[in-house]
C-alpha cells in the first residue's frame, strides 16, 4: 500500500514526519494514502509525476 511518503506533495522534515504541500500541514510519512484527508494523494513515480521527471535530467 502506498503511504504519504510516496506522494509527490510530501516533503520530509525528519524520518517520522513531513509536510504535505497540498494540505499545508505536517503528516506522518507512514500514513496510508487511503487516509489522505482531502484525497490529494498523487504517486511520485510514473510518467505523470513531477518528481519522476526530474530524475531524467
Amino acid at each position: 500500500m502506498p503511504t504519504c511518503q510516496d506522494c509527490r506533495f510530501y516533503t520530509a522534515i525528519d524520518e517520522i514526519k513531513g509536510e504535505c504541500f497540498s494540505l499545508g500541514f505536517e503528516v506522518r510519512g507512514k500514513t496510508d494514502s487511503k487516509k489522505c484527508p482531502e484525497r490529494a494523494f498523487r504517486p511520485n513515480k510514473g510518467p505523470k509525476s513531477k518528481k519522476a521527471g526530474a530524475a531524467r535530467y
Side-chain angles (χ1 to χ4, degrees):
M1 282 291 179
T3 62
C4 285
Q5 294 179 61
D6 301 321
C7 181
R8 75 168 105 175
F9 300 125
Y10 179 83
T11 303
I13 295 173
D14 60 25
E15 292 180 12
I16 298 172
K17 62 186 173 188
E19 184 177 48
C20 181
F21 175 77
S22 66
L23 301 175
F25 60 86
E26 290 183 5
V27 294
R28 291 186 177 266
K30 300 287 183 181
T31 302
D32 189 355
S33 65
K34 291 184 179 182
K35 294 183 180 180
C36 182
E38 296 191 22
R39 307 256 189 247
F41 179 82
R42 300 292 181 268
N44 67 6
K45 295 180 181 176
K48 294 186 179 181
S49 171
K50 291 181 182 180
K51 287 185 181 177
R56 288 184 232 145
Y57 289 102

